[in-house]
Amino acid sequence: MKSVPAPDNSGEKTNLLGLDRQAMEDYFRSIGDKPFRAVQLLQWIHQRGIADFDRMSNLSKSLRAYLSEHCEIRPPSVILAQQAGDGVRKWVLQVDANNRIETVFIPEEGRGTLCISSQVGCALDCSFCSTARQGFNRNLSADEIIGQLWVAQRELSEERRITNVVLMGMGEPLLNFANVVAATQLMMDDFAYGLSKRRVTLSTSGIVPALDRLAEVSDVSLAVSLHAPDDALRNELVPINQKYPIKELLAACKRYIGKEGRRKVTIEYVLLEGVNDSPAQARALAKLLANVPSKVNLIPFNPFPVSRYRRSSPESIARFSEILQSAGLITTTRKTRGVGIDAACGQLVGRVNDKSRRHIRLQAQL
Ligand code: SAH
């Protein structure tokens, strides 16, 4: 620890929360210490939830003092915590003076899924998603992404363990590539959260080149927001389709799962009444997926103020599902959870209390 270089000249402390193993090792090397410190730090921060260097008893006093002076473990701050009748919990987190994000915990029999955000807002403008309405503000840093898991783990009691993480909150994860990859590495690192690759799922609307890059560096499970069986309709619902049409997207999915040890891609399909829920569209979808090792997750549409769609009826959802199943596709229908607290898919906007204002503002725009 002699003549230790300061990590940067900005005077700001380095937030260690978002450093994955490699970055943490690099950090310790850069201050003239041993790379194995990385593992110790990861365990204190992520396994034990400790943010105070003085409590890290297997580090020398001088290292603790150095870290206290130059580093911090700073999670996003919780500004609102809500719980729905069905046990779903939602946290609104402040990430800077102007930006908030939302994180949702969904308890189920035998597992607990945390749905986290990757960006503040979203640039993709999917017509049925309320995050799209607010536009795009900025990418989240790796510490802000993993910080959601860190905070949720601290907020939840022991019996409500987080067993799965899905990147299905606000934002398009593949448009925030490096930070998302670093955060997912931490989720899967045995010295941090130790989740298996089957329990960390990245959901994307289909940024094809980024998907190929992901295949090179990561093992996460993949979910793809398809939502339509043909390009004309998908162009309307998921406009990024104009750039990366269905055929290219499904080919990229196949390349992704073609790697050894990967299983199926989950195809997400939101059901919008009279738009994409007909039996003919179900048959077209089954045909499209015939050669893609996949399972389908049907998502009943969750309405939000000024949304122009309606949720398909339970009968159409059941009929759609049956057609897929009889074509041999494993098909599940996502349960709608967290309704009272606007915590369902596509309802996350990072707002606290101004739903009525927002409603008026949007009405005025239409
Ligand atoms: N941008 C990523 C991840 C965020 S959305 C993606 O597109 O996959 C997570 C899932 O919720 C996506 O499948 C998305 O299409 C779906 N979703 C968005 N709005 C919805 C709504 N109003 N009702 C139901 N599902 C919705």
Side-chain angles (χ1 to χ4, degrees):
M1 293 294 299
K2 276 177 236 143
S3 68
V4 168
D8 59 47
N9 302 320
S10 65
E12 274 179 28
K13 292 185 168 186
T14 303
N15 190 358
L16 299 184
L17 185 60
L19 303 192
D20 63 12
R21 179 133 41 125
Q22 186 62 53
M24 195 75 95
E25 286 178 357
D26 291 347
Y27 176 75
F28 279 99
R29 251 187 231 106
S30 80
I31 63 166
D33 207 322
K34 305 275 189 302
F36 73 79
R37 295 276 176 232
V39 163
Q40 295 176 315
L41 259 293
L42 290 180
Q43 287 176 313
W44 283 113
I45 299 170
H46 300 289
Q47 291 183 350
R48 304 199 198 174
I50 304 275
D52 177 358
F53 296 112
D54 283 332
R55 293 178 63 192
M56 302 184 177
S57 52
N58 57 358
L59 307 183
S60 70
K61 232 175 154 181
S62 61
L63 179 58
R64 280 186 263 161
Y66 178 86
L67 293 177
S68 303
E69 195 183 330
H70 297 282
C71 303
E72 61 185 349
I73 293 153
R74 184 169 37 83
S77 45
V78 177
I79 55 166
L80 182 70
Q82 288 176 296
Q83 181 155 3
D86 60 4
V88 167
R89 304 190 46 170
K90 180 173 96 170
W91 297 276
V92 179
L93 304 174
Q94 189 90 38
V95 288
D96 63 44
N98 303 316
N99 288 305
R100 290 163 179 176
I101 52 169
E102 302 192 345
T103 303
V104 177
F105 176 72
I106 306 132
E108 283 169 294
E109 192 68 34
R111 71 174 182 180
T113 303
L114 191 70
C115 177
I116 67 177
S117 299
S118 56
Q119 298 181 315
V120 185
C122 190
L124 292 186
D125 210 22
C126 299
S127 60
F128 52 87
C129 179
S130 77
T131 304
R133 305 293 108 203
Q134 73 177 130
F136 173 70
N137 278 16
R138 70 168 173 86
N139 279 333
L140 293 177
S141 58
D143 51 271
E144 290 163 341
I145 299 171
I146 200 68
Q148 298 169 61
L149 179 50
W150 194 90
V151 166
Q153 186 163 275
R154 190 188 55 189
E155 295 262 315
L156 292 166
S157 57
E158 247 320 292
E159 71 272 15
R160 303 212 138 174
R161 275 202 332 118
I162 298 164
T163 60
N164 296 61
V165 177
V166 292
L167 278 145
M168 294 186 188
M170 297 161 69
E172 168 49 51
L174 290 185
L175 291 179
N176 183 11
F177 193 85
N179 295 334
V180 162
V181 167
T184 53
Q185 303 293 31
L186 280 170
M187 292 169 200
M188 297 186 286
D189 192 317
D190 285 342
F191 293 108
Y193 298 91
L195 298 174
S196 86
K197 61 185 178 189
R198 284 176 292 112
R199 293 175 177 273
V200 179
T201 303
L202 184 153
S203 176
T204 178
S205 51
I207 316 295
V208 168
L211 198 47
D212 284 329
R213 277 168 66 209
L214 186 71
E216 298 301 319
V217 298
S218 178
D219 254 350
V220 287
S221 297
L222 182 65
V224 167
S225 295
L226 193 63
H227 306 317
D230 61 81
D231 282 324
L233 181 58
R234 193 165 191 267
N235 285 344
E236 215 178 280
L237 302 179
V238 185
I240 194 73
N241 192 70
Q242 292 159 25
K243 199 157 180 197
Y244 306 115
I246 293 176
K247 201 165 157 221
E248 283 177 35
L249 174 57
L250 293 181
C253 289
K254 278 186 173 174
R255 289 193 292 276
Y256 190 84
I257 51 181
K259 294 254 168 172
E260 215 172 309
R262 293 199 178 124
R263 302 176 316 153
K264 293 177 157 65
V265 55
T266 299
I267 300 292
E268 296 167 282
Y269 195 101
V270 64
L271 282 163
L272 310 167
E273 187 178 64
V275 175
N276 66 354
D277 65 347
S278 74
Q281 286 162 319
R283 286 190 291 274
L285 179 63
K287 202 166 159 206
L288 204 56
L289 298 178
N291 297 316
V292 185
S294 54
K295 53 189 177 189
V296 180
N297 192 209
L298 300 175
I299 315 174
F301 172 65
N302 295 306
F304 51 90
V306 308
S307 56
R308 62 182 125 127
Y309 300 107
R310 279 197 307 260
R311 174 182 295 182
S312 304
S313 67
E315 295 73 36
S316 332
I317 297 177
R319 195 179 44 186
F320 201 93
S321 174
E322 274 158 27
I323 294 171
L324 296 179
Q325 290 186 55
S326 56
L329 282 161
I330 298 169
T331 307
T332 50
T333 301
R334 197 175 290 177
K335 272 201 220 107
T336 301
R337 308 276 308 263
V339 175
I341 57 171
D342 280 355
C345 313
Q347 293 185 320
L348 304 186
V349 287
R351 305 259 159 178
V352 181
N353 258 329
D354 62 350
K355 264 206 276 175
S356 51
R357 248 198 306 141
R358 179 177 166 73
H359 188 74
I360 292 162
R361 187 162 52 78
L362 284 168
Q363 289 272 352
Q365 279 170 7
L366 296 175

